[in-house]
Amino acid sequence: MRFPAWIFFACFFQFLSLSAVTARSQAADTTVLFVNKTNDFEITGDGTAVNWSNEKWLSLPKRNENGPDYITRMKILYSDSGIYCLYYCQDDKLTSTLREDFSDLFNEDVVEAFFWTDETVPIYFEYELSPFNYELPILVPNIKGNFLGWRPWHYEGNRKTRHATHVFRNNGSVTAWTAEFFIPYRLLKPMTNIPPSKDSHWRANFYRIDYDKKVSDWSWQHTRTNFHNYERFGTLVFK
């Protein structure tokens, strides 16, 4: 049985369209991120260090329907001494009243990074930074979903993070904010598989929370239940 030519071409172009959509979806949902190596550099808060210039932005998808669809993205690098992260957060209202490190920063606007360095041990490092440069660095044991953060001891000298933020304004109105931070490997002790070397693998996830109206959140990998669903973290591959 022969079909008219127009039916063949219609089916062919529909196939191409579906293939393109599938390819885009697969590209957006990738779970692997390659991390380039860098020399150590100074943190400025606005990402102007030349070390960032050749790094591509990783877009963080919005995971719920609340609030505006702000552009949210990040970059990551590693050095012989630690991990560097840079976040860009489009925004027109900052909800950030806490003015103390180790506060419950997650209850206001914040960016977060989780690093699970060894999949054989259910312990990961969580780092949070607010728009006004207040931080929350904690080590999190997570035993079958039962988790609690622990503050670092002797948090001083070469065990301390370096961090800075910058708020962008246009005619006095907020348009975006950036967060930049460095996490030294010394702070992550006694976690294992540290420091990473070429071809090392860590699990990780990256988040943003915004409180313009209702709570909005963005993440690299969709953890579904909560940010501490570490089995759903993505994979970092160090180059």
Side-chain angles (χ1 to χ4, degrees):
M1 179 177 180
R2 298 185 63 183
F3 293 95
W6 69 268
I7 294 180
F8 169 79
F9 285 110
C11 292
F12 177 72
F13 285 115
Q14 184 178 24
F15 170 77
L16 289 180
S17 177
L18 290 172
S19 297
V21 170
T22 301
R24 287 196 297 272
S25 299
Q26 289 175 342
D29 292 339
T30 182
T31 60
V32 176
L33 178 62
F34 292 94
V35 184
N36 289 321
K37 194 169 187 180
T38 183
N39 295 322
D40 287 309
F41 59 93
E42 292 299 316
I43 296 294
T44 61
D46 56 5
T48 55
V50 68
N51 306 65
W52 292 118
S53 59
N54 292 324
E55 299 305 310
K56 294 181 180 179
W57 287 105
L58 173 70
S59 294
L60 304 186
K62 192 164 181 283
R63 298 301 184 180
N64 61 23
E65 300 300 320
N66 299 334
D69 293 330
Y70 289 137
I71 295 171
T72 303
R73 54 196 184 186
M74 63 88 62
K75 296 181 179 183
I76 182 171
L77 288 164
Y78 81 108
S79 72
D80 288 332
S81 58
I83 302 290
Y84 291 85
C85 290
L86 171 66
Y87 286 72
Y88 172 87
C89 304
Q90 182 185 16
D91 209 341
D92 59 22
K93 176 185 176 183
L94 297 182
T95 302
S96 185
T97 63
L98 297 171
R99 294 294 187 270
E100 185 179 358
D101 292 333
F102 295 100
S103 300
D104 290 348
L105 300 179
F106 48 85
N107 288 324
E108 298 185 338
D109 292 358
V110 73
V111 294
E112 304 185 2
F114 286 54
F115 296 103
W116 182 24
T117 65
D118 186 343
E119 293 182 64
T120 67
V121 183
I123 297 175
Y124 46 86
F125 180 79
E126 175 182 351
Y127 188 80
E128 302 184 14
L129 195 62
S130 77
F132 294 111
N133 202 32
Y134 292 93
E135 68 167 358
L136 175 60
I138 51 177
L139 192 66
V140 184
N142 188 332
I143 313 301
K144 297 181 179 179
N146 187 16
F147 58 87
L148 190 65
W150 290 75
R151 292 174 57 162
W153 191 38
H154 288 303
Y155 187 46
E156 58 196 12
N158 57 17
R159 280 175 49 79
K160 290 204 69 171
T161 65
R162 292 187 283 118
H163 55 92
T165 60
H166 181 81
V167 178
F168 295 86
R169 302 178 187 273
N170 184 14
N171 294 324
S173 299
V174 174
T175 59
W177 63 282
T178 50
E180 188 177 10
F181 53 87
F182 168 77
I183 300 170
Y185 301 134
R186 290 178 181 271
L187 177 60
L188 302 182
K189 290 182 177 181
M191 296 171 69
T192 49
N193 196 27
I194 298 171
S197 56
K198 188 177 185 299
D199 296 326
S200 290
H201 288 59
W202 287 6
R203 301 289 297 281
N205 213 357
F206 308 105
Y207 305 94
R208 174 194 179 184
I209 309 176
D210 186 84
Y211 286 82
D212 277 6
K213 295 179 180 179
K214 297 180 180 179
V215 181
S216 304
D217 62 85
W218 293 253
S219 65
W220 175 36
Q221 299 301 315
H222 195 3
T223 51
R224 302 185 190 282
T225 53
N226 59 59
F227 288 4
H228 293 267
N229 189 189
Y230 60 90
E231 293 92 346
R232 289 185 173 271
F233 286 4
T235 300
L236 303 182
V237 179
F238 295 90
K239 298 178 68 177

